[in-house]
Amino acid sequence: AIAGHPYARYNLGWEELENGRIERAKRHSIVAANLGHDDSLKFLKELYAEGHASKEEYAHALRAHQAAVDATKSPEREKAEEALKRGELRTI
């Protein structure tokens, strides 16, 4: 998680929630959502719906998540994804 792996942050968020540390769970989910992790954004949305995150925190994470996702897009990547869908490429 310290190295910036979003899935590790997501897992830590759930662990913190299970241990009753909602504020720490929220912070882990915000960091992971800011890195583009979809499930962390959903988790943060649930925290917001339950009143554990503010509207501003959720809105900021939503914008940062979208920016992270947009940063990973490129014409080459989109072409490769289309080729995979058509069966022209195989994954290893």
Side-chain angles (χ1 to χ4, degrees):
I2 291 173
H5 195 279
Y7 190 70
R9 285 283 187 164
Y10 172 73
N11 284 339
L12 280 174
W14 276 105
E15 287 295 321
E16 294 293 1
L17 184 67
E18 288 178 4
N19 291 318
R21 295 187 289 258
I22 296 172
E23 192 63 30
R24 290 177 66 111
K26 178 178 68 173
R27 282 186 285 174
H28 284 299
S29 67
I30 288 172
V31 170
N34 289 349
L35 294 171
H37 191 262
D38 295 333
D39 289 335
S40 293
L41 187 62
K42 292 175 189 173
F43 178 49
L44 186 59
K45 183 178 180 180
E46 290 175 21
L47 291 175
Y48 168 65
E50 295 170 0
H52 299 296
S54 71
K55 183 177 182 179
E56 291 79 19
E57 288 172 319
Y58 178 63
H60 183 269
L62 187 60
R63 287 190 299 272
H65 175 271
Q66 188 59 51
V69 169
D70 289 345
T72 63
K73 292 183 180 178
S74 71
E76 293 82 13
R77 186 179 296 239
E78 290 174 9
K79 287 178 186 176
E81 287 175 1
E82 289 175 17
L84 275 172
K85 288 178 186 175
R86 291 189 304 266
E88 297 170 6
L89 295 176
R90 295 184 325 189
T91 59
I92 297 175

